Amino acid sequence: MTPSQPPSQPPQPSFCPPSQPPPIRVLLADDQTLVRAAFAMLVESAGDMEVVGQAGNGAEAVALARAARADVIVMDVRMPELDGIEATRRIAADDGLTGVRVLVLTTYDDDENVLAALRAGASGFLVKDTRPADLLDAIRTVAAGDALLSPGPTARLIARVLRLPDRPPAGAPAPAGLACLSEREREVLTMVARGLNNAETGEALGLSPLTAKTHVSRIMGKLGARDRAQLVIAAYESGLVAPGAGG
């Protein structure tokens, strides 16, 4: 008599633990050694990022951005040889560094440098006395491709910086630079300039977050903007948004 075979068991599904995203590669650029060391300790203490290089001036920052394959550069403004603004401009103009984001550190006494940095291609800025946790959150924000431009002090600072005598008055007809935008796109651009994210923009305009995101992407393409920070500059300088409207 043939012994009975045990019933076959269905194959068990294999469970693989979810893969962790690679750490954010951070380059620190500051001419003060102690400041760089403090920032390096802070970044390394976070579980989702790592320091891949340190630069003491803007020229070193540009070179290391290429060599170290950084995701985010935390850039001081005032540095010898090449300042942070010119370094940011060179990084933003380099086709080989299109994925690199620059987070500029400044002070409230440096308002004109904030505008220059954003024009040069920075994705955002922080004041140097910011809380450590806020700096880490800022790195994550710009690494994700967003601009560090939100309601509150940041938006008010941008508005104050952009009080330029040659700006068109608010409410004037759409300037030539924005003529390619539809009425809805100009509404979305206004929300972006006021610091609203996609979900908040959608809620304000009766759109889904995905539709708001699609509009933002189209606006960036039409205006040739690198990121949301560049959209904010375009909105204020064109007169689409009045200084102080962000907060």
Side-chain angles (χ1 to χ4, degrees), residues 14 28 87 117:
S14 59
L28 303 173

Side-chain angles (χ1 to χ4, degrees), residues 71-75 84-85 88-89 91-92 97-105 114-126 137-150 154 158 192 220 225-233:
D71 298 315
V72 176
I73 302 174
V74 179
M75 184 86 74
I85 294 172
T88 298
R89 184 175 293 109
I91 290 167
L97 298 175
T98 53
V100 178
R101 304 298 179 188
V102 177
L103 177 63
V104 170
L105 294 181
V114 171
L115 177 57
L118 293 175
R119 281 173 169 162
S123 293
F125 62 89
L126 281 179
D137 285 342
I139 292 172
R140 296 183 183 104
T141 296
V142 298
D146 294 326
L148 191 70
L149 302 168
S150 58
T154 299
I158 294 173
V192 172
M220 289 174 61
R226 176 183 171 91
D227 55 23
R228 295 172 77 100
Q230 299 296 295
L231 294 184
V232 173
I233 293 295

